[in-house]
């Protein structure tokens, strides 16, 4: 759906009101009479797996009114962010990750010299892998926590660990180089970093001056953008694109400032949790102290991951994360029509005339109708094929060849009879799932759902099924281009 569509309400525009109930916000627009409608003015009807909404007055299809996620402000979304980790799923993830990290920290303490790098590397990989998993899950609107399954350890832990370390290194590198190299060279004529490596004294290394304060503030302002870029799986070189980063900050505006301030506050709390963790380790209850110490220090980072994910969920289009239509949401959310009509499949066949009526009224109606349908399909007689198909919809699907289902589904989509198109295309895939017609039918079904009926979630499900069931087909390649990265 084009962003200029009348069914898309800009985030700064007032919400439309129902034209029959002026005090009620509208959630649909009738395609025929163009009226905006509330749940009391539409009728729901189900056609197999697709739920249709029709105008109560004229009976034509009513399209869902959409608006951008950014209509709900970041300030409002952040109010409940603190609850994220204090849930059943949050407790499970924190306990599981804490046990694993406590074991790795113990191995680091036991290791000798450079052998500590192995458990330390795994430690970082597990932490950052979980952090970015939570951020991306939040960017998809998920509220339940989950940790990576680590079936592919390189992609689930090693790469996230490297990206996390590099992200932080890039952000704080200016302040680090100033303290260890530039300032000592200007003041004493030697590098503090080199002196530290040679084991020499490095007095004044932590001295605070205006330049250092400025570089630290720069890091604080840069960090949210860096985490956003990394969570969105953009190339790490993007972090060095200062003009591009500034454009992102400018586009996000107040939302970025709010998230940056939130992360600063969380950073202060995180330092305090490390003090609590130190006290827990001093209790020296072995396993219990270690696990509790890790758990305390994970609460704030996981909350920060959720905050970053919320910004991606709301304003990710400013980073080019996914497609613009991924950031549209129904004006009325999950609201449904107040009344439901009988399912379309139970409403009886569509009335038809002419040769189709003659075929159904004569003897041997079933066989004659199937033969007439085959002849109509072979002759590419669309009106006759669609009329005949209506009479066999109530019969077992296996009696109609899959290519006939596919032909009728294509024809119905072109003619704008989307309920019939959905039914025929689903039948084409169901009757012969191993035939080449099945993936073609499913891709067409997804296109009808997404492009014509504007049911993006259902279209996404169909595309993902094609990728799973028919991975090495042209249909799968087509589907992979339509699956948004916000649904990874």
């Amino acid at each position: 759906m084009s962003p200029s569509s009348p069914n898309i309400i800009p985030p700064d525009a007032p919400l439309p009101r129902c034209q029959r109930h002026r005090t009620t916000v509208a959630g649909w627009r009738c395609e025929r009479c163009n009226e905006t409608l509330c749940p009391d003015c539409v009728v729901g009807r189900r056609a197999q797996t697709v739920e249709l909404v029709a105008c109560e007055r004229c009976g034509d299809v009513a399209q869902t009114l959409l608006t951008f996620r950014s209509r709900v402000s970041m300030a409002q979304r952040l109010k409940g962010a603190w609850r994220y980790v204090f849930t059943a799923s949050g407790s499970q993830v924190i306990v599981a990750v804490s046990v694993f990290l406590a074991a790795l920290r113990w191995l680091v303490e036991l290791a000798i010299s450079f052998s500590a790098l192995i458990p330390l590397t795994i430690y970082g990989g597990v932490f950052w892998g979980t952090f970015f998993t939570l951020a991306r899950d939040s960017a998809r609107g998920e509220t339940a926590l989950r940790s990576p399954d680590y079936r592919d350890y390189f992609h689930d832990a090693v790469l996230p660990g490297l990206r996390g370390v590099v992200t932080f290194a890039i952000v704080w590198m200016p302040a680090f180089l100033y303290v260890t190299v530039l300032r000592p060279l200007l003041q004493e004529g030697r590098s503090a970093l080199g002196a530290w490596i040679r084991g020499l004294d490095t007095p004044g290394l932590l001295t605070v001056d205006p330049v250092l304060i400025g570089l630290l503030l720069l890091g604080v302002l840069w960090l949210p953008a860096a985490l956003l870029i990394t969570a969105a799986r953009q190339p790490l070189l993007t972090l060095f694109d200062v003009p591009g980063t500034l454009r992102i900050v400018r586009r996000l505006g107040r939302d970025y400032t709010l998230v940056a301030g939130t992360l600063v506050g969380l950073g202060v709390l995180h330092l305090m949790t490390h003090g609590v963790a130190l006290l827990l380790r001093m209790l020296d209850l072995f396993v219990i102290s270690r696990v509790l110490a890790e758990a305390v220090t994970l609460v704030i980072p996981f909350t920060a991951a959720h905050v970053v994910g919320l910004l991606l969920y709301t304003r990710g289009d400013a980073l080019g994360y996914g497609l613009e239509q991924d950031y549209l949401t129904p004006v009325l959310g999950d609201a449904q029509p107040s009344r439901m009509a009988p399912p379309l499949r139970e409403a009886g066949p569509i009335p038809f005339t002419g040769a189709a009526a003659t075929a159904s009224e004569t003897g041997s109606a079933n066989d004659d109708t199937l033969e007439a349908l085959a002849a109509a399909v072979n002759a590419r007689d669309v009106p006759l094929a669609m009329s005949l198909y209506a009479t066999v919809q109530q019969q077992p699907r296996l009696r109609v060849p899959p290519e006939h289902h596919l032909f009728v589904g294509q024809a119905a989509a072109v003619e704008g009879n989307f309920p019939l198109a959905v039914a025929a295309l689903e039948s084409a895939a169901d009757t012969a799932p191993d035939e080449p017609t099945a993936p073609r039918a499913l891709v067409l079904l997804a296109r009808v759902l997404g492009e014509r009926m504007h049911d993006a979630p259902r279209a996404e499900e169909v595309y993902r099924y094609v990728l799973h069931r028919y991975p090495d087909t042209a249909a799968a390649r087509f589907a992979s281009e339509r699956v948004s990265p916000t649904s990874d």
Side-chain angles (χ1 to χ4, degrees):
M1 186 183 294
S2 170
S4 61
S5 168
N7 294 330
I8 296 181
I9 314 302
D12 54 350
L15 292 176
R17 300 288 169 171
C18 177
Q19 292 183 241
R20 304 177 199 174
H21 307 94
R22 293 293 181 177
T23 60
T24 306
V25 175
W28 295 268
R29 185 191 304 275
C30 178
E31 289 191 343
R32 178 181 297 174
C33 58
N34 204 37
E35 287 191 356
T36 50
L37 309 167
C38 69
D40 291 335
C41 297
V42 291
V43 178
R45 187 184 292 271
R46 189 170 184 84
Q48 290 197 6
T49 60
V50 180
E51 292 184 356
L52 304 175
V53 179
C55 174
E56 186 181 42
R57 176 174 295 179
C58 72
D60 206 351
V61 174
Q63 297 292 352
T64 303
L65 295 178
L66 305 172
T67 190
F68 289 89
R69 293 173 181 169
S70 55
R71 177 175 285 273
V72 179
S73 67
M74 275 301 301
Q76 186 173 345
R77 293 185 187 279
L78 289 176
K79 287 181 180 179
W82 65 272
R83 301 188 186 93
Y84 179 65
V85 296
F86 299 106
T87 59
S89 62
S91 300
Q92 292 171 5
V93 170
I94 286 181
V95 169
V97 176
S98 297
V99 169
F100 198 61
L101 293 185
L104 290 171
R105 185 183 288 270
W106 180 64
L107 290 176
V108 170
E109 294 172 358
L110 293 178
I112 301 174
S113 187
F114 290 104
S115 62
L117 289 176
I118 296 175
L120 190 60
T121 301
I122 299 174
Y123 185 103
V126 171
F127 173 82
W128 285 111
T130 307
F131 181 94
F132 289 126
T133 295
L134 297 180
R136 282 190 290 269
D137 284 353
S138 296
R140 290 198 298 268
E142 300 287 345
T143 56
L145 283 75
R146 70 176 183 91
S147 59
D149 54 20
Y150 298 110
R151 285 180 297 182
D152 186 344
Y153 182 74
F154 181 77
H155 288 91
D156 290 338
V158 176
L159 281 183
L162 290 174
R163 292 175 71 90
V165 170
V166 171
T167 299
F168 261 73
I170 291 173
V171 167
W172 301 114
M173 187 62 69
F176 176 78
L177 293 178
Y178 172 75
V179 169
T180 59
V181 179
L182 182 59
R183 186 172 65 181
L185 283 174
L186 293 175
Q187 294 178 350
E188 304 176 17
R190 65 171 184 168
S191 167
L193 181 61
W196 179 76
I197 293 174
R198 294 194 300 273
L200 303 178
D201 293 335
T202 55
L205 195 63
L206 300 179
T207 303
V208 177
D209 61 33
V211 176
L212 178 59
I213 293 175
L215 290 175
L216 291 175
L217 288 176
L218 175 64
V220 169
L221 294 175
W222 193 3
L223 181 60
L227 291 175
L228 282 171
I229 290 169
T230 307
R233 290 179 173 171
Q234 296 192 14
L236 287 177
L237 291 177
T238 308
L239 295 174
F240 294 99
D241 182 5
V242 177
T245 302
L246 290 176
R247 285 194 296 272
I248 290 173
V249 173
R250 192 179 304 114
R251 284 197 292 266
L252 293 176
R254 293 176 58 187
D255 288 342
Y256 185 87
T257 304
L258 180 61
V259 168
T262 302
L263 292 180
V264 169
L266 290 174
V268 174
L269 290 175
H270 188 49
L271 292 176
M272 296 172 63
T273 61
H274 275 285
V276 175
L278 180 61
L279 293 175
L280 288 171
R281 291 191 180 96
M282 290 175 61
L283 293 176
D284 197 20
L285 299 177
F286 191 59
V287 175
I288 297 177
S289 292
R290 292 175 180 273
V291 172
L292 285 177
E294 295 293 343
V296 168
T297 57
L298 288 178
V299 171
I300 300 302
F302 288 179
T303 303
H306 181 54
V307 170
V308 171
L310 283 177
L311 186 55
L312 272 179
Y313 175 77
T314 307
R315 301 292 305 281
D317 49 343
L319 285 79
Y321 186 62
L323 303 175
E324 190 170 8
Q325 56 262 35
D326 296 334
Y327 295 87
L328 296 174
T329 185
V331 168
L332 296 184
D334 296 329
Q336 298 294 321
S338 299
R339 294 192 305 107
M340 295 295 295
L344 290 178
R345 275 300 184 87
E346 297 174 5
I350 300 173
F352 56 94
T353 59
T358 303
S360 65
E361 291 170 358
T362 58
S364 305
N366 291 345
D367 293 339
D368 290 346
T369 303
L370 289 173
E371 291 178 5
L373 175 61
V377 170
N378 292 332
R380 296 297 188 263
D381 188 338
V382 171
L384 179 58
M386 291 177 60
S387 296
L388 289 165
Y389 188 82
T391 68
V392 299
Q393 276 188 289
Q394 303 299 322
Q395 298 185 28
R397 291 179 180 177
L398 290 177
R399 296 194 62 183
V400 179
E403 56 270 18
H404 294 177
H405 287 298
L406 180 60
F407 175 83
V408 172
Q410 291 173 308
V414 172
E415 295 293 324
N417 189 342
F418 302 132
L420 181 61
V422 167
L425 293 172
E426 285 186 333
S427 298
D430 290 346
T431 54
D434 296 322
E435 293 294 324
T437 51
R440 287 178 56 202
L442 289 172
V443 165
L444 286 171
L445 172 63
R447 294 195 64 181
V448 170
L449 291 169
E451 299 173 20
R452 301 299 182 186
M453 304 180 74
H454 310 302
D455 188 352
R458 175 62 178 152
E460 181 100 3
E461 291 179 9
V462 176
Y463 279 134
R464 289 203 169 277
Y465 178 78
V466 171
L467 290 171
H468 170 74
R469 180 67 172 79
Y470 307 101
D472 299 320
T473 62
R477 290 190 290 272
F478 181 89
S480 65
E481 297 175 357
R482 267 67 183 173
V483 175
S484 65
T486 56
S487 299
D488 286 349

